[in-house]
Amino acid sequence: MIDLKSPDEVSRMRSACTAAARVLQDLAGLVVPGVSTAGLDAAARGLMARHGCESACHGYVVGRLTYPGYICISLNDEVVHGIGAPDRIVREGDLVSLDVVVRRDGYIGDNARTVMVGKVAPEARQLCIDTEQALHAGIASIRPGSRVGDLSAAIQAALAPGGYGIVRDFVGHGVGRKMHEEPQIPNYGKAGTGPKLLPGMALAIEPMVNLGSHKIVMAADGWTARTADGKVSAHFEHTVLVTETGVEILTVP
Ligand code: MF3
Ligand code: CO
């Protein structure tokens, strides 16, 4: 069952998503050479307080693990769910993926982007550009009655010319009171398949794309996913609302 948000829930989602987008926007401006990922995590905590929301990641439980950070910060070959650390220093040329998930008034806003630090390698830059463009191609596929498979296929098609590895072990998701609701939204798939999208559905769409192989490995911390081949990865995410006429991006500052 995919939840349909009532008008009151949509207004709470809107407010949570605006806050999530503002935190991400402000934080992206702090990604400069010399800053530690723990410093960025602490800054995110402060920005959430300033924007009237709280971290939905901090204390998030999966199995026997509890997430210790306030946001996820994934450097270079880290794909998602990296944890800020004082000895991880951002350098010129790095890709820094910031994933900001907040709760406000009982509802979640979820967004992510990969920030390029200064001059990055041309193929890494193109990966970021193409991943963000694939996110928007996926969003543009949405209309009332279109299917999850249409969205997945649109993302996959946008990435095909680049010959990238599309991550399979993590997917986008419905979002609302909980961070992860139905449906799952893979970043590859077949048009015309999967659940129908209807007005009132809120979706977090998040392509995670590797320069090399799609394969990932999990770090010993149980959270950090990195590429198996050590090549860089990019991640862009918006929370969107399916409307009567199409789709609206909610994570806009
Ligand atoms: N956007 C990520 C996701 O949807 C955020 C995870 S927060 C964590 O999975 F606590 F699970 F790390
Ligand atoms: Co998400």
Side-chain angles (χ1 to χ4, degrees):
M1 262 299 293
I2 305 176
D3 188 44
L4 299 178
K5 271 69 184 173
S6 70
D8 174 62
E9 289 182 293
V10 167
S11 96
R12 290 169 203 251
M13 285 293 297
R14 220 179 266 295
S15 143
C17 288
T18 301
R22 288 180 179 163
V23 171
L24 180 56
Q25 175 176 263
D26 290 357
L27 193 64
L30 303 177
V31 179
V32 292
V35 71
S36 73
T37 60
L40 290 172
D41 193 71
R45 183 184 184 176
L47 287 167
M48 287 177 197
R50 182 194 300 179
H51 291 298
C53 57
E54 61 186 35
S55 170
C57 291
H58 188 67
Y60 188 81
V61 175
V62 175
R64 287 184 281 113
L65 293 171
T66 301
Y67 192 74
Y70 285 80
I71 59 167
C72 300
I73 311 169
S74 308
L75 294 188
N76 298 320
D77 65 323
E78 294 172 348
V79 178
V80 285
H81 302 165
I83 302 165
D87 60 345
R88 298 298 303 284
I89 307 297
V90 171
R91 303 284 181 211
E92 167 102 12
D94 281 351
L95 297 189
V96 182
S97 295
L98 304 170
D99 192 344
V100 172
V101 194
V102 308
R103 183 177 290 102
R104 183 180 197 178
D105 202 10
Y107 285 80
I108 300 283
D110 186 357
N111 65 170
R113 76 161 77 143
T114 299
V115 177
M116 295 181 273
V117 185
K119 226 173 127 53
V120 309
E123 65 273 19
R125 165 175 294 272
Q126 197 60 48
L127 171 71
C128 292
I129 292 167
D130 291 345
T131 303
E132 184 168 23
Q133 199 242 314
L135 167 61
H136 286 285
I139 293 170
S141 81
I142 297 173
R143 52 188 55 80
S146 72
R147 293 180 183 273
V148 170
D150 299 330
L151 208 180
S152 301
I155 293 171
Q156 183 175 17
L159 292 165
Y164 300 118
I166 300 175
V167 173
R168 294 165 177 268
D169 301 71
F170 297 96
V171 295
H173 48 92
V175 56
R177 257 186 193 286
K178 290 188 294 172
M179 186 181 351
H180 297 134
E181 300 186 352
E182 287 180 51
Q184 294 199 10
I185 306 173
N187 294 300
Y188 59 92
K190 212 167 136 43
T193 67
K196 266 192 183 170
L197 301 179
L198 298 172
M201 290 182 183
L203 310 171
I205 303 170
E206 49 178 321
M208 291 148 271
V209 184
N210 301 343
L211 192 56
S213 161
H214 73 272
K215 290 192 181 129
I216 60 146
V217 290
M218 294 303 297
D221 64 22
W223 290 102
T224 311
R226 58 174 69 241
T227 60
D229 60 13
K231 294 188 178 175
V232 296
S233 188
H235 180 203
F236 285 81
E237 176 176 30
H238 274 305
T239 300
V240 308
L241 176 72
V242 184
T243 67
E244 297 290 341
T245 52
V247 65
E248 181 189 342
I249 300 177
L250 296 182
T251 36
V252 176

